[in-house]
Amino acid sequence: MPMATMSTKLFVTGGAGFIGSAFIRLLLDRDDATEITNFDALTYAGNLDNLQDLDPERHHFIRGNITDREAVQAALGDGTQAIINFAAESHVDRSILSADEFLRTNILGTQVLLDAARERGVNRFLQVSTDEIMGSLLEDETAYFTESSAFAPNSPYAASKAAAEHLVRAAHHTFGLDTIITRCGNNYGPRQFPEKFLPLAVSNALNDQSIPIYGDGRNVRDWIYVDDHCRAILLALEKGRSGEVFNIGARNERRNIEVAESVLDALGKPHSLLRFVKDRPGHDRRYAIDPTLAEAELGWAPIETWESGLRKTISWYQENARWVERTRSGAYQTYYEQQYGTEVTS
Ligand code: NAD
Ligand code: TYD
C-alpha cells in the first residue's frame, strides 16, 4: 500500500496507550502528509498526556469504544486508507482476574472494526497482535516462534488476541479484506503503564520499593524497543502483501531476573530490592521470535540495542516522575498487590 503520497488518512485505535501513541508520534514525525484519527476509549491504560505534543492539525482525537458500531462508523471518515488496531485490554494479569473486558474489546471490538472497514471501503486493516497467541516455548530449547507456529494461547489475554487474529484472517479469506497481522514480543520504552513488568521495575526501583519477581524469575521474554516495533508496523502497512502475517522481534531474549537486575544496576540500587513472590497462574516460560520474514521482506531491523533502549527508557521515567505519579494515583494497585497485599515476603 503506497503511502505518504498526496495525503494519507489513517484511523488508529488505542492511540492513547503505550504503543499506539508511539506509533502516532513516529508517523507524524516522519512525513507531513499523514492525517490521523485516533479513536480511543481512554480506559485506565489510555492517557491523553501521551498525546500532548502532537500536531492538532494532523492528529484528531476521538473518545470512543471500538465495540460501539455507531461510534466507530461516525468516527471513520470517508477516504480512510487504513485502520491500525492497537486498542485492546493488554495485561495478562488483569485477564486472569477477569476476562470479560478482554473478550468484549479484543474480540468483539476487532469484529466491529473489520465490519466497518469493509462497509466503508477502507483499503487495508492492520491488526497489532502478539507472540503470546503461540503459547510457550521451553526454557532451554532453541526453537523460535515463526509465522507458521501453531496457535496455543495460554492466558485469557492471549486467547482473546488469538480469537481476534482468527477474525482478521476470516475477513480476509471470506470477504477479501486487505489485512496484515503483526505479532511482536514484549515492548519497552517511554509511556508504558507501570503495571507491566519493566516500567513497574523502573518506577519501583526509583522509589526504593521492591520489585516483585514471579516464581523463580527464569521466565524468558523477547524484548523490543517500542519505536523499533512501530517502525516494523509502518513497513508492514506499506510493503506487506495482503493477508500476510509478520513476526516482529529484536532477537533479545532475557530472563526476568536479568531484566530487573539491569534496571537496578542502571539506577545504582541494591539487588536486595528483588522480591521473589508467588508465581502467576499458567505463567508462560519462554517467548522467542524468529523475525526473518520481516527482515527479509520488509527490510526491517531494530535500531536500539537492549542497552541503548533501556537507557532511554529509564531516563524517560526519571524525567517524568509526574506522569508516573498521575498514572498510579487513585485506586491503582498492581495485580500482585490485589492478590496478596503489599507485605509479601519471598
Ligand atoms: P495499552 O494497554 O498501553 O493501551 C491500550 C489502549 O487501548 C489504551 O489507550 C486504551 O484506552 C485503549 N482501549 C482499550 N479498550 C478500548 C476500547 N474498547 N475501545 C477503544 N480503545 C480502547 O496497550 P499497548 O501496550 O500499547 O498495546 C497495544 C497493542 O499492542 C495491543 O493490541 C496489545 O495486545 C499489542 N501488544 C502489546 C505488547 C506489549 O508489550 N505492550 C506486545 C505485543 C502486542
Ligand atoms: P508483563 O509485563 O506482564 O508482560 P507479559 O506477561 O505479557 O509477558 O510480564 C513480563 C514478565 O515479567 C512475565 O514473565 C511476568 C513477569 N512479571 C514479574 O515477574 N513481576 C511482575 O510484577 C510483573 C507485572 C510481571
Side-chain angles (χ1 to χ4, degrees):
M1 193 186 84
M3 296 204 341
T5 42
M6 287 292 283
S7 155
T8 308
K9 279 174 80 174
L10 302 181
F11 190 78
V12 173
T13 68
F18 164 49
I19 307 176
S21 64
F23 177 78
I24 292 174
R25 190 165 286 103
L26 184 86
L27 199 51
L28 293 181
D29 281 353
R30 202 195 63 158
D31 69 70
D32 298 331
T34 305
E35 231 183 275
I36 294 172
T37 297
N38 177 0
F39 188 80
D40 193 300
L42 296 181
T43 68
Y44 78 96
N47 188 342
L48 288 178
D49 287 350
N50 294 347
L51 309 170
Q52 260 173 4
D53 51 336
L54 303 180
D55 176 359
E57 296 288 307
R58 295 187 296 136
H59 168 255
H60 314 288
F61 180 79
I62 297 178
R63 185 172 190 175
N65 197 305
I66 61 166
T67 60
D68 181 341
R69 277 181 193 277
E70 284 77 40
V72 168
Q73 284 284 358
L76 193 60
D78 286 331
T80 299
Q81 271 101 331
I83 295 178
I84 301 102
N85 183 26
F86 291 94
E89 285 294 330
S90 67
H91 197 203
V92 171
D93 286 336
R94 284 181 189 253
S95 78
I96 294 169
L97 292 176
S98 170
D100 291 6
E101 215 46 49
F102 288 74
L103 271 54
R104 269 193 287 274
T105 289
N106 299 3
I107 305 176
L108 297 176
T110 300
Q111 186 60 45
V112 167
L113 293 172
L114 289 165
D115 291 343
R118 229 161 25 94
E119 283 159 27
R120 298 298 284 266
V122 173
N123 298 347
R124 175 157 273 195
F125 186 99
L126 189 145
Q127 172 72 2
V128 180
S129 190
T130 166
D131 58 358
E132 302 193 26
I133 61 115
M134 296 171 278
S136 184
L137 298 164
L138 295 175
E139 181 178 341
D140 293 319
E141 67 181 353
T142 49
Y144 294 91
F145 293 136
T146 70
E147 286 76 4
S148 51
S149 296
F151 280 63
N154 287 323
S155 71
Y157 162 69
S160 69
K161 293 293 289 188
E165 275 207 30
H166 288 313
L167 293 170
V168 174
R169 181 190 152 89
H172 174 72
H173 186 83
T174 303
F175 302 109
L177 191 69
D178 181 332
T179 62
I180 297 280
I181 294 172
T182 57
R183 298 173 180 154
C184 74
N186 289 58
N187 284 232
Y188 67 103
R191 302 179 187 82
Q192 186 170 27
F193 192 86
E195 65 179 354
K196 301 273 171 61
F197 183 53
L198 201 132
L200 180 72
V202 174
S203 47
N204 280 14
L206 280 170
N207 293 309
D208 296 308
Q209 290 167 355
S210 63
I211 301 174
I213 306 290
Y214 296 169
D216 63 6
R218 290 171 62 86
N219 301 66
V220 173
R221 295 293 181 264
D222 198 344
W223 295 90
I224 182 168
Y225 190 72
V226 63
D227 289 353
D228 283 328
H229 175 205
C230 290
R231 286 190 306 102
I233 292 174
L234 205 45
L235 284 168
L237 188 65
E238 290 173 345
K239 294 166 76 172
R241 281 177 287 124
S242 178
E244 272 194 303
V245 177
F246 293 98
N247 284 359
I248 315 293
R251 302 181 194 273
N252 184 35
E253 288 180 62
R254 307 272 160 188
R255 291 205 164 95
N256 292 339
I257 188 77
E258 183 196 341
V259 170
E261 284 174 356
S262 302
V263 167
L264 292 172
D265 292 346
L267 291 171
K269 303 283 182 177
H271 287 200
S272 56
L273 284 178
L274 299 173
R275 188 179 56 158
F276 286 89
V277 299
K278 196 166 181 304
D279 209 354
R280 166 192 283 173
H283 195 174
D284 281 342
R285 197 61 173 166
R286 172 173 169 254
Y287 302 147
I289 291 170
D290 177 353
T292 305
L293 183 69
E295 290 167 348
E297 208 172 296
L298 304 176
W300 173 84
I303 291 173
E304 301 296 341
T305 62
W306 171 238
E307 289 72 23
S308 66
L310 194 60
R311 234 185 350 262
K312 282 188 178 178
T313 305
I314 290 175
S315 301
W316 190 87
Y317 280 90
Q318 282 177 308
E319 287 157 18
N320 290 276
R322 289 263 305 132
W323 183 96
V324 176
E325 227 171 82
R326 278 201 298 273
T327 306
R328 295 183 93 167
S329 64
Y332 173 80
Q333 267 194 316
T334 65
Y335 161 82
Y336 201 80
E337 288 162 355
Q338 286 181 51
Q339 289 296 286
Y340 305 109
T342 47
E343 297 304 321
V344 188
T345 51
S346 43

